[in-house]
């Protein structure tokens, strides 16, 4: 109410239009210390930098977001994003790299490694020779 026309809050926007708005935005602000994963990922996917109150999810300060804990830091970060295209590009690249780490192939690979790691000898010793992976015998 103190700044009419400068801040606009919407309770809902269709996804396509939300992504358009994100791609046109200077930044996305993640005000919580958790949650907001969809918004963060959508921001990264549209190349929009993320400012966050704290590192959470896969947010890493200086890599794929800027952590702003105080109002002064927030204002300084916004000014930097307006002036420093190299910073903008680095944060956008960091966001896309974080998205790639959540691709189905990467997650499946990590899940497979975790499952194998808890089985004795990687699960190889407990199977009969003819059933072991890689043995087409």
């Amino acid at each position: 109410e103190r700044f009419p026309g400068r801040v606009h809050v919407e309770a809902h926007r269709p996804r396509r239009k939300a992504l358009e708005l994100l791609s046109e935005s200077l930044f996305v602000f993640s005000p919580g210390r958790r949650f907001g994963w969809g918004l963060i990922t959508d921001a990264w996917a549209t190349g929009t930098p993320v400012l966050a109150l704290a590192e959470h999810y896969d947010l890493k300060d200086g890599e794929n977001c800027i952590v702003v804990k105080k109002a002064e830091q927030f204002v300084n970060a916004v000014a930097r994003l307006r002036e420093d295209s190299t910073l903008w590009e680095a944060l956008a690249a960091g966001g896309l790299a974080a998205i790639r780490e959540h691709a189905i192939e990467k997650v499946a690979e990590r899940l497979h490694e975790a499952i194998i790691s808890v089985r004795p000898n990687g699960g190889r010793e407990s199977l009969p020779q003819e059933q072991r992976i890689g043995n087409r015998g």
Side-chain angles (χ1 to χ4, degrees), residues 129-137:
Q129 178 70 26
E130 62 275 2
Q131 292 181 355
R132 292 186 194 158
I133 294 175
N135 184 0
R136 303 286 176 201

Side-chain angles (χ1 to χ4, degrees), residues 51-66:
L51 302 183
L53 186 61
E55 288 186 341
H56 64 92
Y57 181 47
D58 274 347
L59 292 176
K60 295 182 178 111
D61 188 27
E63 187 175 316
N64 58 26
C65 77
I66 299 175

